[in-house]
Every structure is written in structure tokens, then in C-alpha cells.
Amino acid sequence: MIRNILFDIGGVLVDLEVKRTLSAMKHFIDPQLAKQNNMVTADGLLGGHDSPLIDLYQTGEISTEDFMRQVLSVCMPGTNSDAIKAAWYAMLLGSSREVQILWQRLQEKGYTLYILSNINDLHAEWVLENCPFMDEAKQRFFSNEMHLAKPDLRCYQYVIEHAGILPEETLYVDDLLPNIEAGKAAGFQTIHAVGRGWRQQLRDLPNMNPNNYPLTCLGH
């Protein structure tokens, strides 16, 4: 029986469009300088795990100040930290009303909700400021705080141990297949969040709350 739901953030709870950041970064990054810096890729920092800088930042091995310093070192003259931050935030589109209502309905059905996300300091600050419903999670597990990132199996074992949950009673929702496969290896039930069908799967979960009190609506 499913009692817990463990959510990823980017691509699940928060709509994500990485191309927006890539496009914005291309206005600042000097490709020749980037080629000379083995920490930063010339395509604008991202592109899977081709950038060691991103891996270090999302596991909390470097600070935001260090991250900014590395990025600015391969930028064109006149680029400042504010421009980099704006580009870095550009990929985050926010959480839809549909997702917020789904979160609320799952809570009211009696499920315990958790979050597990590969995230960095700047994005974590943005998410917590702009998506306050995530404060209602029983626990949040962020890669920059755990110093572990998905799909490392230790990430899931950390969650199981620190949340005190049984993986077979936990439904894990993520948009990336390698993460889903790692979650399965850790014993979780899983939903691969692609398209829109995954939301209906969650809506169809049975009511676990014996009180079955009426569902409230979010404000307009």
C-alpha cells in the first residue's frame, strides 16, 4: 500500500525549460574562454553532466560565490553577477495551479509528501520563495545539502534512512529515466513523469484519509 509520495522538483513540481537558460547564457559566455576552462562548457554551462561546475554546485561542494566567480571568468567584459543570476533563473517557469491543487488533494487524501531534488543554492532559494506549498512537505531532501545527487543510489538510501519510510510504501515521481531506474533499484514504486498522464495517475490514487473531509480550493 502506498502511504508516501516522494516528488522531484524540476520537470515535476516546477515547470522547467533549460533552453531558456542556455539561450540567455550564450549572450554572456565567451566560447574561447570557456574552452580554456575545464570547469565550464562552451554551450553555456549545461548540457547533461559535461560541466563539472554544475555537478559541484548541485552537490554543495562549492558556494554560490565560487560558482559566480567561475562563470564570470569565462564571460565577456561587462557581464555582472545580476545578469548571470537572471539567466540562471530563466529556466524556472514556476509551479502550475494544476500541480498545486494536485499536491493539496494528495495531502487531504492522507498521503505523506516528501521532496527529493538535484538542486543548487540559487535555485533552492528561488523555489522556496516562489512555491510556498513545498513548505508543507514532511521533509525536503536537496542534493546541495546532502552532498549527493541522483541517480546515485546513496541518495535514495539517505532518504529512506532519514525519513524513516519503507520504500515499498513510497511512490517516487521523477521526470528523468535514470533517476526512476535508480529509485526502482532502491525499492520504491515509481511514476515516470512524462507528458500529462502522470498527474492523472496521482489523482486516481485512493483516499487514505478515514475522515474524508471536503477538499478545499486554492485562492484565485
Side-chain angles (χ1 to χ4, degrees):
M1 178 183 294
I2 296 171
R3 301 180 185 276
N4 316 297
I5 305 176
L6 178 64
F7 284 99
D8 177 36
I9 291 181
V12 180
L13 296 179
V14 170
D15 291 333
L16 202 64
E17 192 172 332
V18 175
K19 289 182 180 179
R20 287 165 57 92
T21 288
L22 289 173
S23 177
M25 285 290 186
K26 286 178 180 177
H27 293 291
F28 311 124
I29 300 290
D30 183 323
Q32 295 305 314
L33 290 176
K35 287 179 181 178
Q36 299 168 22
N37 186 326
N38 61 8
M39 294 290 288
V40 183
T41 59
D43 67 355
L45 293 179
L46 303 176
H49 288 278
D50 292 334
S51 170
L53 184 62
I54 301 306
D55 292 339
L56 290 172
Y57 191 32
Q58 75 174 2
T59 54
E61 301 302 322
I62 60 172
S63 67
T64 295
E65 291 73 19
D66 292 332
F67 172 73
M68 284 293 176
R69 189 178 304 113
Q70 286 282 352
V71 177
L72 287 170
S73 74
V74 297
C75 285
M76 298 175 185
T79 307
N80 58 37
S81 295
D82 288 341
I84 297 302
K85 283 184 181 180
W88 193 237
Y89 289 142
M91 72 176 79
L92 303 173
L93 304 183
S95 181
S96 69
R97 180 178 173 79
E98 180 184 3
V99 163
Q100 293 178 56
I101 291 174
L102 177 58
W103 176 278
Q104 182 184 25
R105 290 179 67 90
L106 290 169
Q107 284 185 309
E108 294 178 342
K109 281 186 172 184
Y111 293 95
T112 304
L113 307 184
Y114 298 86
I115 291 173
L116 171 62
S117 179
N118 284 356
I119 201 165
N120 55 76
D121 289 352
L122 283 174
H123 282 175
E125 289 175 8
W126 188 98
V127 163
L128 295 177
E129 180 178 349
N130 290 277
C131 306
F133 72 93
M134 292 189 201
D135 287 338
E136 299 170 3
K138 179 69 176 293
Q139 286 178 268
R140 295 188 300 260
F141 297 94
F142 286 174
S143 62
N144 61 325
E145 297 173 350
M146 295 188 295
H147 304 292
L148 292 169
K150 301 177 291 185
D152 188 329
L153 191 59
R154 292 175 299 169
C155 217
Y156 305 89
Q157 294 167 339
Y158 183 100
V159 171
I160 293 167
E161 178 182 349
H162 287 80
I165 56 177
L166 296 175
E168 62 269 24
E169 294 181 351
T170 304
L171 180 60
Y172 169 50
V173 185
D174 200 298
D175 65 319
L176 296 181
L177 187 56
N179 297 345
I180 286 292
E181 291 174 342
K184 287 180 180 178
F188 291 114
Q189 301 186 56
T190 62
I191 290 180
H192 188 197
V194 292
R196 298 180 62 83
W198 65 271
R199 298 177 184 180
Q200 189 59 51
Q201 286 180 270
L202 290 176
R203 281 192 285 267
D204 290 342
L205 289 174
N207 181 58
M208 297 283 290
N209 188 341
N211 296 323
N212 197 25
Y213 52 81
L215 298 176
T216 58
C217 294
L218 295 176
H220 294 287

